[in-house]
Amino acid sequence: MSDDLVTPGYATPIAGQAVGPLSLHWIKGPPVSLENSTGTFVLDFFGTMCSDCVASIPDLSDLAERRKDKDVTVVGVHILERRKTIEDLEAFVAKQGDKLRYSLAKDLDRSAENIWKASGLEAMPGLVVIRDSKVLWSGYEIADLEKVLDAI
């Protein structure tokens, strides 16, 4: 692993910290436990009303497909829009159709939102890389994310 993983994106304030339990409701894909896992996870913190979030879905889907054989799992994590119900998110997933080809979950108790905030992110979509249950990187750009994934 390269020492300059914080070069693209932002200096992640919680880099190296272990991920605690997250209370997520899985809308699409199989549930995963980030706090006791090996492998690499990309958390895409998003909202359904965020046009940049929705626009990034095809690129993240392509990344998920390219990286799945390298033990990288992309998970969309819905945060902030507290009035959105599980049914609203199921409708959102259905509307996205084949464009959305990665797992998606709703943060039920702000545990995931706390990772987003602690990572220094202030906007959506925000990306966080978790490897072997520890936060590694955070940022906003998929191009920077690709560099990080290439380096690990």
Side-chain angles (χ1 to χ4, degrees), residues 45-107:
F45 292 98
F46 80 100
T48 61
M49 301 296 286
C50 165
S51 60
D52 289 339
C53 299
V54 175
S56 70
I57 289 173
D59 291 334
L60 283 169
S61 291
D62 291 345
L63 181 142
E65 288 184 356
R66 283 194 317 276
R67 302 278 182 168
K68 68 182 172 187
D69 293 335
K70 296 179 177 149
D71 202 21
V72 174
T73 303
V74 176
V75 178
V77 182
H78 179 261
I79 60 171
L80 297 179
E81 297 173 326
R82 310 228 192 288
R83 294 184 180 175
K84 294 288 182 181
T85 65
I86 300 302
E87 292 78 18
D88 292 336
L89 289 175
E90 288 169 344
F92 174 80
V93 167
K95 182 178 178 183
Q96 298 309 307
D98 292 338
K99 289 187 286 186
L100 178 59
R101 299 183 306 275
Y102 52 90
S103 296
L104 190 135
K106 178 175 178 55
D107 183 12

Side-chain angles (χ1 to χ4, degrees), residues 88-143:
D88 292 336
L89 289 175
E90 288 169 344
F92 174 80
V93 167
K95 182 178 178 183
Q96 298 309 307
D98 292 338
K99 289 187 286 186
L100 178 59
R101 299 183 306 275
Y102 52 90
S103 296
L104 190 135
K106 178 175 178 55
D107 183 12
L108 295 177
D109 66 356
R110 298 186 182 170
S111 54
E113 182 181 326
N114 289 337
I115 291 175
W116 173 73
K117 287 179 181 177
S119 295
L121 298 171
E122 298 176 345
M124 294 188 294
L127 303 164
V128 173
V129 174
I130 296 172
R131 183 172 173 96
D132 299 332
S133 299
K134 293 184 179 166
V135 175
L136 183 66
W137 175 87
S138 64
Y140 296 101
E141 301 296 327
I142 293 175

